[in-house]
Short mmCIF file of all heavy atoms in Angstrom, two decimals:
data_model
loop_
_atom_site.label_atom_id
_atom_site.label_comp_id
_atom_site.label_asym_id
_atom_site.label_seq_id
_atom_site.Cartn_x
_atom_site.Cartn_y
_atom_site.Cartn_z
N GLU A 184 155.56 38.48 109.62
CA GLU A 184 154.20 37.95 109.38
C GLU A 184 153.17 38.33 110.44
O GLU A 184 151.98 38.44 110.13
CB GLU A 184 154.21 36.43 109.31
CG GLU A 184 154.51 35.93 107.91
CD GLU A 184 154.77 34.45 107.88
OE1 GLU A 184 153.85 33.75 108.31
OE2 GLU A 184 155.85 34.06 107.48
N ASP A 185 153.58 38.48 111.68
CA ASP A 185 152.61 38.69 112.73
C ASP A 185 152.26 40.21 112.90
O ASP A 185 151.47 40.58 113.70
CB ASP A 185 153.02 38.13 114.06
CG ASP A 185 154.26 38.83 114.63
OD1 ASP A 185 154.93 39.55 113.89
OD2 ASP A 185 154.46 38.69 115.82
N TYR A 186 152.81 41.01 112.09
CA TYR A 186 152.48 42.42 112.12
C TYR A 186 151.24 42.65 111.36
O TYR A 186 151.03 42.27 110.24
CB TYR A 186 153.62 43.25 111.39
CG TYR A 186 154.58 43.86 112.28
CD1 TYR A 186 155.24 43.09 113.25
CD2 TYR A 186 154.93 45.22 112.11
CE1 TYR A 186 156.19 43.69 114.07
CE2 TYR A 186 155.90 45.78 112.94
CZ TYR A 186 156.53 44.99 113.96
OH TYR A 186 157.48 45.57 114.70
N TYR A 187 150.25 43.26 112.00
CA TYR A 187 149.05 43.58 111.26
C TYR A 187 148.68 45.02 111.36
O TYR A 187 147.70 45.51 110.83
CB TYR A 187 147.88 42.68 111.69
CG TYR A 187 147.62 42.65 113.14
CD1 TYR A 187 146.83 43.64 113.70
CD2 TYR A 187 148.15 41.67 113.93
CE1 TYR A 187 146.59 43.61 115.08
CE2 TYR A 187 147.92 41.64 115.28
CZ TYR A 187 147.13 42.60 115.87
OH TYR A 187 146.92 42.59 117.17
N THR A 188 149.43 45.76 112.13
CA THR A 188 149.20 47.17 112.21
C THR A 188 150.58 47.90 112.13
O THR A 188 151.57 47.20 112.16
CB THR A 188 148.56 47.59 113.52
OG1 THR A 188 149.42 47.07 114.60
CG2 THR A 188 147.19 46.98 113.67
N ASP A 189 150.56 49.12 111.98
CA ASP A 189 151.88 49.81 111.90
C ASP A 189 152.50 49.89 113.27
O ASP A 189 151.92 49.53 114.30
CB ASP A 189 151.83 51.16 111.23
CG ASP A 189 151.02 52.15 112.05
OD1 ASP A 189 150.59 51.81 113.16
OD2 ASP A 189 150.89 53.29 111.60
N ARG A 190 153.69 50.44 113.32
CA ARG A 190 154.39 50.50 114.57
C ARG A 190 153.71 51.44 115.61
O ARG A 190 154.00 51.38 116.77
CB ARG A 190 155.79 51.04 114.32
CG ARG A 190 156.70 49.95 113.84
CD ARG A 190 157.93 50.48 113.16
NE ARG A 190 158.50 49.48 112.34
CZ ARG A 190 159.32 48.55 112.79
NH1 ARG A 190 159.65 48.54 114.05
NH2 ARG A 190 159.79 47.62 111.99
N SER A 191 152.86 52.30 115.15
CA SER A 191 152.32 53.26 116.10
C SER A 191 151.46 52.55 117.20
O SER A 191 151.39 53.02 118.28
CB SER A 191 151.46 54.31 115.37
OG SER A 191 150.38 53.71 114.82
N GLU A 192 150.92 51.41 116.82
CA GLU A 192 150.16 50.65 117.81
C GLU A 192 151.10 50.22 118.95
O GLU A 192 150.78 50.34 120.11
CB GLU A 192 149.59 49.41 117.17
CG GLU A 192 148.78 49.66 115.96
CD GLU A 192 147.34 50.01 116.31
OE1 GLU A 192 146.76 49.33 117.21
OE2 GLU A 192 146.78 50.88 115.70
N ARG A 193 152.25 49.71 118.56
CA ARG A 193 153.24 49.25 119.53
C ARG A 193 153.82 50.47 120.30
O ARG A 193 153.95 50.41 121.50
CB ARG A 193 154.37 48.56 118.88
CG ARG A 193 153.96 47.23 118.27
CD ARG A 193 155.13 46.59 117.54
NE ARG A 193 154.65 45.34 116.89
CZ ARG A 193 155.22 44.12 117.10
NH1 ARG A 193 156.29 44.04 117.83
NH2 ARG A 193 154.73 43.12 116.51
N PHE A 194 154.01 51.52 119.56
CA PHE A 194 154.53 52.73 120.24
C PHE A 194 153.58 53.24 121.32
O PHE A 194 153.97 53.48 122.45
CB PHE A 194 154.78 53.82 119.15
CG PHE A 194 155.21 55.19 119.76
CD1 PHE A 194 156.50 55.29 120.22
CD2 PHE A 194 154.33 56.16 119.80
CE1 PHE A 194 156.91 56.53 120.78
CE2 PHE A 194 154.71 57.41 120.33
CZ PHE A 194 155.99 57.58 120.85
N LEU A 195 152.32 53.36 120.98
CA LEU A 195 151.35 53.79 121.92
C LEU A 195 151.28 52.91 123.18
O LEU A 195 151.16 53.34 124.32
CB LEU A 195 149.93 53.90 121.31
CG LEU A 195 149.71 54.97 120.31
CD1 LEU A 195 148.39 54.82 119.56
CD2 LEU A 195 149.76 56.34 121.04
N THR A 196 151.36 51.64 122.92
CA THR A 196 151.33 50.66 124.00
C THR A 196 152.51 50.87 124.91
O THR A 196 152.40 50.88 126.13
CB THR A 196 151.31 49.22 123.42
OG1 THR A 196 150.17 49.12 122.56
CG2 THR A 196 151.28 48.18 124.48
N ALA A 197 153.70 51.01 124.33
CA ALA A 197 154.95 51.21 125.09
C ALA A 197 154.81 52.48 125.93
O ALA A 197 155.24 52.57 127.10
CB ALA A 197 156.14 51.29 124.16
N GLU A 198 154.22 53.54 125.29
CA GLU A 198 154.06 54.80 126.02
C GLU A 198 153.19 54.68 127.28
O GLU A 198 153.40 55.26 128.28
CB GLU A 198 153.51 55.87 125.06
CG GLU A 198 154.55 56.42 124.13
CD GLU A 198 155.73 57.09 124.87
OE1 GLU A 198 155.50 58.16 125.48
OE2 GLU A 198 156.84 56.58 124.85
N ILE A 199 152.11 53.89 127.11
CA ILE A 199 151.15 53.72 128.23
C ILE A 199 151.96 52.98 129.40
O ILE A 199 151.81 53.40 130.50
CB ILE A 199 149.99 52.89 127.78
CG1 ILE A 199 149.05 53.76 126.93
CG2 ILE A 199 149.19 52.39 129.01
CD1 ILE A 199 147.88 53.04 126.29
N ILE A 200 152.69 52.00 129.03
CA ILE A 200 153.46 51.24 130.10
C ILE A 200 154.41 52.21 130.76
O ILE A 200 154.57 52.21 132.00
CB ILE A 200 154.13 50.01 129.50
CG1 ILE A 200 153.10 49.07 128.90
CG2 ILE A 200 155.03 49.32 130.52
CD1 ILE A 200 153.64 47.97 127.99
N ARG A 201 155.11 52.97 129.97
CA ARG A 201 156.11 53.90 130.53
C ARG A 201 155.47 54.91 131.47
O ARG A 201 155.94 55.23 132.54
CB ARG A 201 156.78 54.62 129.38
CG ARG A 201 158.29 54.42 129.30
CD ARG A 201 158.83 54.97 128.03
NE ARG A 201 158.62 56.44 127.94
CZ ARG A 201 159.46 57.31 128.47
NH1 ARG A 201 160.51 56.87 129.18
NH2 ARG A 201 159.26 58.57 128.36
N GLU A 202 154.29 55.38 131.02
CA GLU A 202 153.57 56.36 131.84
C GLU A 202 153.16 55.75 133.15
O GLU A 202 153.31 56.39 134.25
CB GLU A 202 152.31 56.79 131.05
CG GLU A 202 151.63 57.97 131.74
CD GLU A 202 150.17 57.66 132.07
OE1 GLU A 202 149.55 56.85 131.40
OE2 GLU A 202 149.69 58.22 133.08
N LYS A 203 152.74 54.48 133.20
CA LYS A 203 152.38 53.79 134.47
C LYS A 203 153.61 53.61 135.32
O LYS A 203 153.58 53.76 136.52
CB LYS A 203 151.73 52.49 134.19
CG LYS A 203 150.47 52.57 133.36
CD LYS A 203 149.42 53.45 133.99
CE LYS A 203 148.31 53.75 133.06
NZ LYS A 203 147.53 54.92 133.43
N LEU A 204 154.74 53.33 134.70
CA LEU A 204 155.98 53.13 135.46
C LEU A 204 156.34 54.48 136.15
O LEU A 204 156.69 54.47 137.36
CB LEU A 204 157.09 52.75 134.54
CG LEU A 204 157.17 51.27 134.10
CD1 LEU A 204 158.08 51.10 132.92
CD2 LEU A 204 157.65 50.45 135.26
N ILE A 205 156.26 55.55 135.41
CA ILE A 205 156.61 56.82 135.99
C ILE A 205 155.70 57.14 137.12
O ILE A 205 156.12 57.60 138.17
CB ILE A 205 156.56 57.95 134.89
CG1 ILE A 205 157.72 57.72 133.87
CG2 ILE A 205 156.63 59.33 135.48
CD1 ILE A 205 157.57 58.51 132.60
N ARG A 206 154.42 56.89 136.95
CA ARG A 206 153.44 57.18 137.98
C ARG A 206 153.73 56.34 139.24
O ARG A 206 153.65 56.85 140.35
CB ARG A 206 152.03 56.87 137.45
CG ARG A 206 150.96 57.42 138.34
CD ARG A 206 149.65 57.47 137.64
NE ARG A 206 149.63 58.43 136.58
CZ ARG A 206 148.52 58.77 135.86
NH1 ARG A 206 147.40 58.16 136.14
NH2 ARG A 206 148.58 59.65 134.97
N GLN A 207 154.09 55.12 139.09
CA GLN A 207 154.35 54.17 140.19
C GLN A 207 155.67 54.52 140.91
O GLN A 207 155.80 54.41 142.07
CB GLN A 207 154.40 52.77 139.72
CG GLN A 207 153.06 52.11 139.55
CD GLN A 207 152.50 51.79 140.92
OE1 GLN A 207 153.17 51.34 141.78
NE2 GLN A 207 151.16 52.05 141.06
N LEU A 208 156.63 54.90 140.11
CA LEU A 208 158.00 54.98 140.68
C LEU A 208 158.48 56.44 140.97
O LEU A 208 159.36 56.63 141.81
CB LEU A 208 159.01 54.37 139.70
CG LEU A 208 158.79 52.88 139.48
CD1 LEU A 208 159.41 52.41 138.17
CD2 LEU A 208 159.36 52.08 140.61
#
Side-chain angles (χ1 to χ4, degrees):
E184 270 172 60
D185 69 340
Y186 261 49
Y187 53 84
T188 55
D189 68 0
R190 279 162 199 276
S191 67
E192 307 274 321
R193 291 177 183 234
F194 174 74
L195 287 170
T196 303
E198 281 300 291
I199 288 174
I200 297 166
R201 242 169 62 83
E202 189 239 329
K203 300 302 169 199
L204 281 165
I205 291 166
R206 194 164 290 188
Q207 278 287 318
L208 297 158

